[in-house]
Every structure is written in structure tokens, then in C-alpha cells.
Amino acid sequence: MKIFLRPLMPLLLFLILPDLAFAFICPVHCSCSTPEAIFCFQRRSPTIPNPKEVHHSIKNFYLFSNGIETITAQDFDGLHHLEMLDLSQNKLTQLPDRVFEPLTSLKNLDLSSNQITHISKECFHGMAQLERLYLYSNQIKAIHPTAFNGLEHLLELKLQGNMLTSLPTLSMPQLLLLDLRFNVLPSLGPSDLQTPNLESLKLGGVGLTSLNKELIGSLKNLHELDISENQLKSFPSALKETPGLFSLSLAGNPMGPLKAEDMQNLKELHELDISSLSLQGLPEELSQLFSHLRKLTVAENPFNCLCNLAWFPRWLRAQSITLERTEETRCHFPPVNAGKVLERLEHRDFGCPTTTTVTTSTVKTTTTTLSVPVTTFPTTTRVIQVPRASDNPADKEDFPLPPVPVSTSTSSSIDPELHFCPPHTCLNGGTCHLDQNGQVECTCSHGTSGMYCEVQNPSPPSLPPAEPPKATVTSDPPEISSHQATATSILLDLHRYIEMRPYIRGIRLTYRNLSGPDRRPIQLSLPASFPEYRLRGLNPNSTYTVCVSPLGSPSGIDSICTEANTAPESTRGPDARSESPKITTMLVPATAILLLLMLIAVAVGVVCYLRRKKAKGHLDLDCEPPQLELDGVKAGLDNVSLPHKQPQLVIPEPAVQNGNLEYEVLLVQDNSTSNNNMSSHKPSYF
């Protein structure tokens, strides 16, 4: 009985489960991973697969990037259960009338990235169940006024990236998303969009010069609005009465600075894009308005990273707001912050005024608005001491500060660039402004000089000098000093500065070149265990100002400055003179070793000669190997194939950065040989 039934098993299964026999029918050059889905990718065929090869129970049919040029209604015969059809990235130029009529259950149709030029009257006839229609990235210039009639269940319509100049009336009561970006539709009104339940409207790059207030007012359920890349020259008044927005994009409009009062009714925003608006700053009131904000984009704006923007990075961290396109959100001004990522700046980087303590030889007082420097003049350097806290807390005697001279500028109008200078940049009544290169300069008042007007010049001899106040003159050595080392380096002596501050953990060292066009400061961080430090990579015959302050303290607090000069460049530096002793030291042992080897060779030759003379015919036994052994070695080399050892390519050690702008190349390199024919290796930066 079992033997009789075994050949009939396939026939019985075919009769019992007829659908199973067709479930795995798959068209040629396609993939059928599940019985309900067919993937036909890059078939390179101008037509759709034969419908006889497709089972009628299929629900998802993917035909993207196949080179299909034409479709007909017969291509979809029998596919009554199909719910998703993907014909994107093909070469369709037109859609025949009623071409999708056999697909009575279709809900999703993707025709994007084809070459369709127009939408006819009955193109989508019979598609009452359609929910998503994607027509973006085509060449559509015209849509028949009744082309979308009957699509009452449509939820999403994407038409972006076409050539539309007008839009038929969209009467779609269930539509939730409409994407019209990058067409030419500058005058959309409420009669064009009869979509009362619309949640997302994207009008980026359609040429809007204003936003229709009645159109936005008719969309009571609107949550997402994109009006980027238009020609809006001011904040749209229609948005002032749209409190339900969750996402808003204003990027790329020439609307100028934002005002907090314009956005009072947008407190429910979760996402905001205000990139590419030529913004130089942001009103701090925004931090009080957007309590629900989670994503913010402010990229490609020329921000002035000054004190009035110091709140921004702190607010982002406090509210856990994600700053999109972080690397494209950078400072434009001042030069010290130019190019830095805005989100990564600390509060001290914005140049905000800080509370300082002023100490002089005759005056001890505390103030928050004025600083009086003490200047001494050593023989080779000029030390500029920024005031710091008094070391003697028991001294309680205070005196009033001397008056500050008033600037004698003849101009009655205030230069607008003065607002960009950090406060108290220029001392003794000097006026701060920027030169053509964006560098900070000070115009000093009468009787003062120096880069920051820190030097008070003595009165002319013709005038009777006023009796100076009696003061105790101290001759303490400067806390930092410098010495000329070479044309490209300066040796700094920090012994006294560290001894007077045993509490500091590190030193912030800042220096800039006063002789060249680029005066931007360069900062280094040093441990407190460095009583001496050599600045390298400097320009010859230049004047540098060098300042040190405790690491971690606000900029300008307890800072000591000095000026130093590098020597002129010469063809033979001091290092060249020190080479001869080294060479002599190396040559003496080498010569001695060579002489010793020569003596040993002579001695061996004499011994061999005497043995030959004494042995009389047995000369080869002691001094040379036998001929048989030589033949045996040769035979071994001939019979045994030895592998050729490849020469080892040794790459020199890379240049090592010493913490400054100068790089030092290691002179002693292990496992490397000299080869003048080897091409030089360029350093890799990746």
C-alpha cells in the first residue's frame, strides 16, 4: 500500500493545495522572496514582465530602475489584489488613459523619477482606493483640471521637482501631506487647496514673495510648514496667527534679523530651521519662547560670536536641543573666533566683561568697569602687568582711582564697528576699531601710546611738571622674562610667575606677532612644572607680545605680558658652530677601531704565511676551506631553490610636533638605512 501511494503524493498535493503550486511562480530575472512580493530590479527591459508569469495573489510589485518605456492596461490584467506598485526610475514619458483601471485594490503608486511631461484627464480613472501618489522628479508641465477627481481617499500627494506653473484645484478632503517644492507657483490661494485636514504643506522654492494669510488660515490642522528658499523679505504675518505648528522651515529667505515678537505664537514648535538667513545674532528671548524645541538648524549664517550670543550654547545644552548641521554652524567674527564651531564655544570665548581686581604700587581698589595697568621698562623687554588680586588681604586701605582721560576723537558720530570690539580692549581712554584686515586696533588719546594705549608718555619738558605723588618704588624683577635664542625661537623664563602662584594647576600662554599682517593670537596650555619654555616656529627679526595667565581662569584675570624680539636671520646660526666638537668626538673612536682592524689583519696574514712555509704542501688546511667543501656548498646552492628575500622598505619616522607651530624631525631613526635613490615619502594626513 505504501509503495502504491508514494508516486501519487505530488499529484495529491497539487489537487489539495492548488494555490501552493502557483505561489512561487516568479518572472524571469526577478526575485520572489515571499509569495506576496516580486522584486524586478535592473532587468534592462522596456516592457513589464508578462502578466501570465505573475500570480494573481501578488500584493507588492517592485519594478524600479528597469528601463521601462511604455505601459498598457493589459500589463496589469488579473492583478486585482495588488496594493503597491513601484515604477520609479524608469523611462516613462506618458501615462495612457485608464491604464491603472484593472488595479482596483491599489493603495500606493510610485511613478517618481521618470520623464512624464503631462497628466491627462482619465490617467488615474478607477483608482478609488489610492492613498499615496508619488509623481516627483518628472518633467510635468501641465495637469488636467479633473485629473485627480475620484481620488477621495488620497492621503499623500508628492509633486516636487517638476515644471508646474499652475495647479488645478485640489479638492481632497482626506489629504494629509502635499509636497509642491521646486515648481513655479508664486501665488497660491485658498481656492487652490481645498484640503481642510492637511497636516504637512511643503512650498520650498516655489517663488513666494508673500504667504497668503487666508490660505494658511484655512488649514486649521496644519502642523508642518516648509517655505524655505523663497523670496520672503520679512517674517510672514500669516505665521503670527498659526499656533499649532510643530515644524517650521524659513531657511534661505532674505528676511533679515529675526524678532522675538514675530514668533510669540509659535511656542509649540518642536523643529525650527532658520539657516541661510544672513543672521549675525539671535535674540536671547528665543530661549524663553521655545520650551518644546528639540531640533534646531541655524547653519550657514555669519554669526558674530560676541558676548550677546554667549547664552546660545548654554541654552542648547540645558534644554537638550539637537543642533542640526553642527559643522556648518560656525563663527564669522571676531577674528579670534572666526571658523570655530558655535556650539563648542565656552562662555569665556565670547569676550564678555568680567570682574577684575586692580593693584598698583600706590593704589589698591576693586572695580568692575575700569582697569589701571602698571608698566615697567626693563632693558630688553617691556612687561605689561594686567591687574590681579592683592597678595596681602590684611591691607584694607583704599584710595580713589585716578581719572581716565577722555578720547579726543574729532568725529561726532560713533563708528558702528565699535560695537564689535570686546569691552576694555583699549586702555587709558583709547578708541577701539577694526582695520581693513579685521584686526583690532586702538586710537590712543593724547599722552598715551602702545598697541592697547597702555603706555603713558611723560609730559613735554616745556610744561612745568606736576609734583608726582609720593610712592614706594619697588625694584622687584619681572615675573616673566625672555631671552633671544635663535632667529625662530624665544626662551621664556617663568620661574618667578610660578613661584608667586603655587596654587595654579597650569599656564595659558598666548602670543602674537606684532610685526606681521597676521596678528591673531595663538594659545598654548602648559603644566605648572615648566619654569622655562621655548617658543619655536617664529618669524625672524619680529616683535612678539607674550602673555601668561592661570589655566582655567577667565581670560585677562591675573595675566602678565611681555614683549620680545627674535634675532635677524643669518646664513650660519649658533647651532652650526656646535657641530665640529660632535664630529670630532665621533671620528676619534672610529679611527681607532679602523687602525685596530688593520693591525689584526696584518697579524693574521703573517701567521698564515709562517704556517704555509712550515707545513710544506698543507697550506689549505688552516687558512682556507678545502675545495670539496667549496664544491659541496655550490652544489647545495644549485640544487636547493632558496627564496629571494625582498628588500625591506623602511619609511623614515614622521615629523613630531613639539606643541608649537614648528615640527622637529627625529635625527636618530632605528632600523633605517640611507638610500639616496629612494623617493621621498609625503606625510599622510588620513
Side-chain angles (χ1 to χ4, degrees):
M1 185 66 177
K2 293 181 179 179
I3 297 175
F4 177 76
L5 292 177
R6 186 174 299 174
L8 299 179
M9 288 297 293
L11 180 62
L12 293 175
L13 292 175
F14 180 81
L15 296 176
I16 296 173
L17 302 173
D19 289 341
L20 187 61
F22 295 97
F24 296 95
I25 295 179
C26 193
V28 181
H29 303 300
C30 295
S31 174
C32 305
S33 57
T34 64
E36 296 182 350
I38 297 178
F39 292 86
C40 301
F41 175 64
Q42 293 184 348
R43 289 174 57 252
R44 303 304 179 192
S45 175
T47 59
I48 290 180
N50 192 333
K52 295 181 180 180
E53 301 178 3
V54 181
H55 193 257
H56 61 82
S57 64
I58 190 70
K59 291 185 178 181
N60 302 315
F61 203 177
Y62 298 91
L63 293 164
F64 56 91
S65 189
N66 280 258
I68 300 173
E69 299 177 358
T70 58
I71 56 175
T72 61
Q74 290 74 23
D75 294 331
F76 307 111
D77 284 343
L79 303 181
H80 304 294
H81 300 282
L82 192 65
E83 296 181 358
M84 210 289 296
L85 176 61
D86 188 348
L87 288 168
S88 63
Q89 304 178 37
N90 284 291
K91 298 180 180 180
L92 297 175
T93 58
Q94 60 179 353
L95 301 175
D97 289 343
R98 300 173 182 263
V99 65
F100 302 110
E101 192 171 23
L103 305 176
T104 55
S105 300
L106 195 66
K107 295 182 179 180
N108 305 287
L109 177 59
D110 190 349
L111 295 167
S112 62
S113 300
N114 279 278
Q115 302 171 18
I116 304 171
T117 58
H118 67 281
I119 304 298
S120 61
K121 177 180 180 181
E122 298 183 350
C123 176
F124 302 114
H125 188 273
M127 306 182 70
Q129 302 300 320
L130 194 64
E131 295 179 353
R132 294 169 183 85
L133 177 59
Y134 298 162
L135 293 166
Y136 59 88
S137 298
N138 278 280
Q139 302 173 14
I140 302 175
K141 298 181 180 179
I143 300 176
H144 193 275
T146 61
F148 297 137
N149 287 0
L151 304 180
E152 297 181 354
H153 292 88
L154 198 65
L155 301 177
E156 297 181 6
L157 176 59
K158 295 185 177 182
L159 291 166
Q160 69 268 29
N162 283 286
M163 301 180 181
L164 295 172
T165 56
S166 61
L167 192 69
T169 300
L170 300 179
S171 180
M172 300 176 180
Q174 304 299 326
L175 193 67
L176 300 178
L177 183 147
L178 177 60
D179 196 339
L180 299 173
R181 292 175 296 168
F182 304 108
N183 288 282
V184 184
L185 303 168
S187 56
L188 287 176
S191 60
D192 298 320
L193 304 182
Q194 298 179 10
T195 54
N197 292 312
L198 194 66
E199 294 183 354
S200 177
L201 176 60
K202 300 184 178 182
L203 300 176
V206 299
L208 294 177
T209 56
S210 62
L211 188 61
N212 191 292
K213 193 173 183 179
E214 296 180 359
L215 170 65
I216 301 300
S218 64
L219 305 176
K220 303 296 184 181
N221 202 35
L222 190 64
H223 297 318
E224 181 182 8
L225 178 62
D226 181 359
I227 51 175
S228 60
E229 305 297 335
N230 282 289
Q231 302 300 319
L232 302 173
K233 296 183 179 180
S234 60
F235 189 85
S237 59
L239 297 181
K240 299 179 181 179
E241 301 178 3
T242 313
L245 284 180
F246 292 161
S247 176
L248 175 63
S249 177
L250 300 169
N253 282 284
M255 62 176 54
L258 294 177
K259 299 179 181 179
E261 54 267 22
D262 293 336
M263 311 181 79
Q264 288 288 342
N265 292 329
L266 300 176
K267 298 181 180 180
E268 299 298 325
L269 280 180
H270 288 69
E271 299 181 10
L272 177 62
D273 188 350
I274 50 177
S275 56
S276 301
L277 294 184
S278 299
L279 300 176
Q280 296 182 358
L282 294 170
E284 190 172 357
E285 292 80 4
L286 295 182
S287 61
Q288 306 298 327
L289 291 178
F290 302 134
S291 57
H292 301 287
L293 198 63
R294 291 296 172 262
K295 290 185 179 180
L296 178 63
T297 308
V298 292
E300 298 183 2
N301 283 301
F303 285 114
N304 291 337
C305 296
L306 300 173
C307 190
N308 55 1
L309 198 59
W311 64 273
F312 184 70
R314 185 172 63 252
W315 172 59
L316 294 178
R317 291 188 287 266
Q319 298 296 328
S320 300
I321 298 174
T322 301
L323 186 65
E324 302 289 340
R325 300 169 62 186
T326 304
E327 294 297 328
E328 301 173 61
T329 310
R330 297 177 179 266
C331 299
H332 179 71
F333 187 88
V336 68
N337 289 332
K340 294 183 179 180
V341 177
L342 176 57
E343 186 184 25
R344 299 172 188 165
L345 293 183
E346 299 295 336
H347 185 271
R348 61 177 179 270
D349 298 327
F350 290 89
C352 295
T354 56
T355 301
T356 60
T357 302
V358 180
T359 303
T360 65
S361 58
T362 58
V363 179
K364 294 184 176 64
T365 184
T366 302
T367 180
T368 58
T369 59
L370 184 62
S371 61
V372 180
V374 174
T375 307
T376 61
F377 297 91
T379 56
T380 59
T381 61
R382 187 174 73 226
V383 179
I384 306 169
Q385 179 174 350
V386 177
R388 61 184 180 86
S390 175
D391 295 332
N392 186 9
D395 192 354
K396 304 295 183 179
E397 186 178 0
D398 295 335
F399 296 91
L401 289 174
V404 179
V406 181
S407 175
T408 57
S409 175
T410 57
S411 174
S412 60
S413 61
I414 300 176
D415 189 352
E417 290 185 345
L418 292 176
H419 299 287
F420 297 121
C421 291
H424 310 301
T425 300
C426 302
L427 305 176
N428 297 320
T431 304
C432 178
H433 62 90
L434 303 177
D435 60 10
Q436 296 179 352
N437 298 323
Q439 304 293 333
V440 175
E441 287 188 351
C442 293
T443 301
C444 300
S445 58
H446 180 71
T448 60
S449 62
M451 183 178 180
Y452 300 107
C453 306
E454 69 277 5
V455 180
Q456 296 182 356
N457 298 326
S459 304
S462 58
L463 297 177
E467 183 178 357
K470 296 181 180 180
T472 303
V473 179
T474 59
S475 59
D476 293 338
E479 296 187 16
I480 62 172
S481 59
S482 63
H483 307 281
Q484 295 182 7
T486 66
T488 59
S489 65
I490 296 175
L491 181 62
L492 297 176
D493 187 353
L494 307 175
H495 285 86
R496 182 169 174 77
Y497 185 84
I498 297 175
E499 289 176 359
M500 297 181 64
R501 297 163 183 81
Y503 55 86
I504 61 174
R505 295 176 298 176
I507 300 174
R508 181 194 296 114
L509 190 149
T510 306
Y511 66 98
R512 70 174 73 192
N513 187 358
L514 302 181
S515 302
D518 187 2
R519 298 186 178 183
R520 288 177 296 180
I522 301 174
Q523 285 191 354
L524 302 174
S525 297
L526 307 178
S529 59
F530 276 26
E532 289 187 354
Y533 187 77
R534 185 183 299 274
L535 288 177
R536 303 178 185 271
L538 307 180
N539 294 332
N541 197 22
S542 300
T543 301
Y544 284 83
T545 177
V546 183
C547 298
V548 295
S549 60
L551 188 64
S553 64
S555 180
I557 298 299
D558 201 7
S559 177
I560 303 297
C561 299
T562 186
E563 285 189 6
N565 300 316
T566 54
E569 188 174 10
S570 60
T571 56
R572 180 177 177 87
D575 295 336
R577 293 191 296 270
S578 61
E579 294 296 329
S580 55
K582 295 182 180 179
I583 296 176
T584 304
T585 306
M586 295 173 63
L587 287 178
V588 170
T591 305
I593 293 174
L594 181 60
L595 291 176
L596 180 60
L597 292 176
M598 292 176 64
L599 291 175
I600 294 174
V602 171
V604 172
V606 172
V607 172
C608 290
Y609 175 75
L610 294 176
R611 288 187 179 183
R612 287 194 190 98
K613 197 171 182 180
K614 185 181 296 185
K616 293 181 180 181
H618 301 282
L619 303 178
D620 296 332
L621 293 178
D622 295 330
C623 298
E624 297 181 3
Q627 188 65 34
L628 294 177
E629 292 182 8
L630 290 175
D631 293 340
V633 172
K634 183 177 180 181
L637 292 175
D638 291 339
N639 297 330
V640 181
S641 59
L642 299 176
H644 295 282
K645 185 177 180 180
Q646 297 293 335
Q648 182 179 3
L649 180 62
V650 180
I651 300 177
E653 293 290 334
V656 178
Q657 189 176 7
N658 62 3
N660 302 310
L661 299 179
E662 186 181 29
Y663 285 78
E664 296 179 353
V665 180
L666 299 181
L667 297 179
V668 181
Q669 300 173 2
D670 297 334
N671 301 324
S672 62
T673 59
S674 176
N675 186 356
N676 295 330
N677 296 325
M678 185 184 298
S679 61
S680 62
H681 299 278
K682 296 182 179 180
S684 175
Y685 299 99
F686 302 98

